[in-house]
C-alpha cells in the first residue's frame, strides 16, 4: 500500500491535488495512506480539509494524517508531491524565488532523508521546481537521486493543448511533444519532433506560428495565468502533478517531459536537474538519449540548460550546495 505525502496541502494547488489524487486511487481501487503537510498557521483550515475528505467517503483512504511536522508527514513515504513553496507573484521571475525557496527544500530533503522509504519518488512542483528538486535530492543522499523530479508536465500539456487547438484535434492525438530544459521562459517545447495522428507538427502548422506564437506563449504561460488570475496556476498545476505521477508509476509507454538528474545528456552540465524526454522501464524513469536534434533545437535546449546551470551556480554562491 502506498504512502503519499503532499506539502502545501492547504494551498490552492494542494486543494485541487488532494481530491484529484484521491479520485485517481479510488478509481484504481488502490488503498493509500495520505499525509497532508502544511505550516502551523494553516492547521485550522486543514482540519476543514480533513472533514471534506471524510465527507467524500473515498474508498481508497486507509489513513489520513494532517500535520505541520515534516518528519511525521514524510514517514515511510513512497511518493511525495512537494508543492509548498513561496509562489511567484506578479512581476517576479522564477530566479527571484530561488534563494527564498532554497531553505525550504533543504529542510524537506533532510527530513525525507531521515524518514522516507529510501526508494521514494519525489516530485517538486514549487518553483523553481527543477532546482528545488536538485536541492532536495542533495540533502537526501539515502534516497535515489534519479527519483527526484521537477514538474515539466504542465509545460508539455500546455504545448499539446495549443497545437490541438490550432489543428482542431483532440489533445491526445498530439504526441511526442517534449519540453527541454527549465520550467521557465527559456523552456523549449520541441515541436520539431511532435506529431498529430502520425504527421509532423511542422507540416501541419506554419513556421511563423510555431516560432512567433506557439513558442513564446508556452514559455510565458505561467506569467499569463498569474496576470489574469492574480495568482499562480493551481488546478492545471495539480493536474500536471497527478499526470506526472501516473506516467512514472503507471507508465503508458509514451515519452514524456520530466525534470530529472542529468549526467550531461544533450549538452547539459552533469549534476543538474533538467527536463528531458523520458520513458519508464523496469520501474525507473530514464532519459531517452538517442534522439537526433538539429542545430536549432540543440541551441534552444542549450539556452535553457545554461539557465539551470546559472541557478546551480547561484546556489553554490549561497552555500546551499
Ligand atoms: C506556472 O507555470 O503556471 C507556474 O509554475 C507558476 C509560474 O510561476 O509560472
Amino acid at each position: 500500500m502506498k504512502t503519499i505525502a503532499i506539502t502545501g496541502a492547504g494551498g490552492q494547488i494542494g486543494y485541487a491535488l488532494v481530491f484529484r489524487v484521491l479520485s485517481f486511487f479510488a478509481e484504481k481501487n488502490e488503498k493509500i495512506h495520505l499525509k497532508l503537510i502544511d505550516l502551523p498557521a494553516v492547521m485550522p483550515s486543514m482540519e476543514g480539509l480533513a472533514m471534506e475528505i471524510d465527507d467524500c467517503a473515498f474508498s481508497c483512504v486507509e489513513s489520513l494524517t494532517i500535520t505541520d511536522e515534516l518528519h511525521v508527514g514524510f514517514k515511510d513515504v513512497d511518493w511525495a508531491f512537494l508543492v509548498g513553496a513561496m509562489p511567484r507573484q506578479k512581476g517576479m521571475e522564477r530566479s527571484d524565488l530561488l534563494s527564498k525557496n532554497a531553505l525550504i527544500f533543504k529542510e524537506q530533503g533532510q527530513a525525507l532523508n531521515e524518514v522516507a522509504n529510501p526508494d521514494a519518488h519525489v516530485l517538486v512542483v514549487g518553483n523553481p521546481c527543477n532546482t528545488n528538486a536538485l536541492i532536495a535530492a542533495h540533502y537526501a543522499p539515502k534516497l535515489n537521486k534519479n527519483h527526484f523530479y521537477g514538474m515539466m508536465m504542465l509545460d508539455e500539456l500546455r504545448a499539446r493543448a495549443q497545437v490541438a487547438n490550432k489543428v482542431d484535434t483532440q489533445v491526445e492525438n498530439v504526441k511526442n511533444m517534449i519540453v527541454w530544459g527549465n520550467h521557465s521562459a527559456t523552456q523549449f517545447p520541441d515541436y520539431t519532433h511532435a506529431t498529430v495522428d502520425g504527421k509532423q507538427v511542422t507540416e501541419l502548422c506554419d513556421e511563423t506560428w510555431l516560432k512567433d506564437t506557439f513558442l513564446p506563449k508556452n514559455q510565458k504561460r505561467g506569467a499569463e495565468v498569474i496576470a489574469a488570475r492574480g495568482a499562480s496556476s493551481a488546478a492545471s498545476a495539480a493536474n500536471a502533478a497527478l499526470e506526472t505521477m501516473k506516467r512514472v508509476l503507471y507508465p503508458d509507454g509514451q515519452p514524456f517531459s520530466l525534470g530529472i538528474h542529468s549526467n550531461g545528456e544533450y549538452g547539459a552540465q552533469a549534476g543538474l536537474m533538467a527536463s528531458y524526454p523520458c520513458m519508464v522501464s523496469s520501474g525507473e524513469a530514464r532519459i531517452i538519449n538517442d534522439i537526433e536534434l538539429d542545430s536549432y533545437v540543440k541551441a534552444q535546449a542549450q539556452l535553457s540548460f545554461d539557465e539551470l546551470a546559472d541557478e546551480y551556480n547561484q546556489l553554490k554562491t549561497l552555500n546551499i550546495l
Side-chain angles (χ1 to χ4, degrees), residues 96-110:
D96 301 329
L97 288 179
L98 192 75
S99 54
K100 301 221 167 11
N101 281 324
L103 295 176
I104 296 178
F105 288 88
K106 175 179 172 181
E107 206 189 342
Q108 294 185 353
Q110 288 167 330

Side-chain angles (χ1 to χ4, degrees), residues 5-200:
I6 303 178
T7 69
Q12 286 207 17
I13 299 176
Y15 190 75
L17 182 58
V18 165
F19 294 96
R20 293 291 307 276
V21 166
L22 288 169
S23 300
F24 172 75
F25 283 108
E27 274 164 33
K28 279 202 101 49
N29 257 331
E30 230 187 287
K31 295 230 182 259
I32 59 167
H33 297 288
L34 182 62
K35 304 201 173 194
L36 304 181
I37 308 165
D38 215 317
L39 301 172
V42 188
M43 286 303 113
S45 81
M46 295 275 281
E47 296 299 331
L49 176 59
M51 289 177 209
E52 286 206 79
I53 292 170
D54 279 351
D55 296 351
C56 288
F58 284 112
S59 56
C60 58
V61 184
E62 180 69 17
S63 72
L64 173 65
T65 307
I66 302 279
T67 182
D68 55 9
E69 300 262 354
L70 291 176
H71 288 80
V72 174
F74 289 152
K75 180 94 181 93
D76 300 328
V77 73
D78 299 301
W79 182 281
F81 292 99
L82 304 190
V83 176
M86 171 175 282
R88 184 155 69 119
Q89 323 279 336
K90 255 188 190 174
M92 267 171 108
E93 272 310 314
R94 287 178 181 79
S95 55
D96 301 329
L97 288 179
L98 192 75
S99 54
K100 301 221 167 11
N101 281 324
L103 295 176
I104 296 178
F105 288 88
K106 175 179 172 181
E107 206 189 342
Q108 294 185 353
Q110 288 167 330
L112 284 163
N113 196 50
E114 282 164 30
V115 297
N117 171 354
D119 224 23
H121 299 260
V122 179
L123 174 66
V124 178
V125 176
N127 281 318
C129 61
N130 290 305
T131 297
N132 288 338
L134 178 68
I135 299 169
H138 179 83
Y139 286 96
K142 285 189 199 152
L143 276 64
N144 181 345
K145 66 176 181 303
N146 297 315
H147 285 184
F148 282 77
Y149 316 114
M151 189 179 81
M152 298 300 297
M153 185 56 71
L154 182 54
D155 307 290
E156 176 178 326
L157 294 176
R158 286 169 171 166
R160 288 173 57 198
Q162 272 206 82
V163 169
N165 285 339
K166 177 75 177 168
V167 306
D168 197 15
T169 188
Q170 300 298 311
V171 80
E172 58 269 24
N173 298 331
V174 183
K175 294 205 180 351
N176 216 19
M177 177 67 86
I178 297 303
V179 182
W180 295 86
N182 199 0
H183 174 64
S184 77
T186 66
Q187 65 173 266
F188 183 67
D190 185 1
Y191 55 81
T192 71
H193 289 90
T195 59
V196 175
D197 292 328
K199 290 200 192 81
Q200 295 297 316

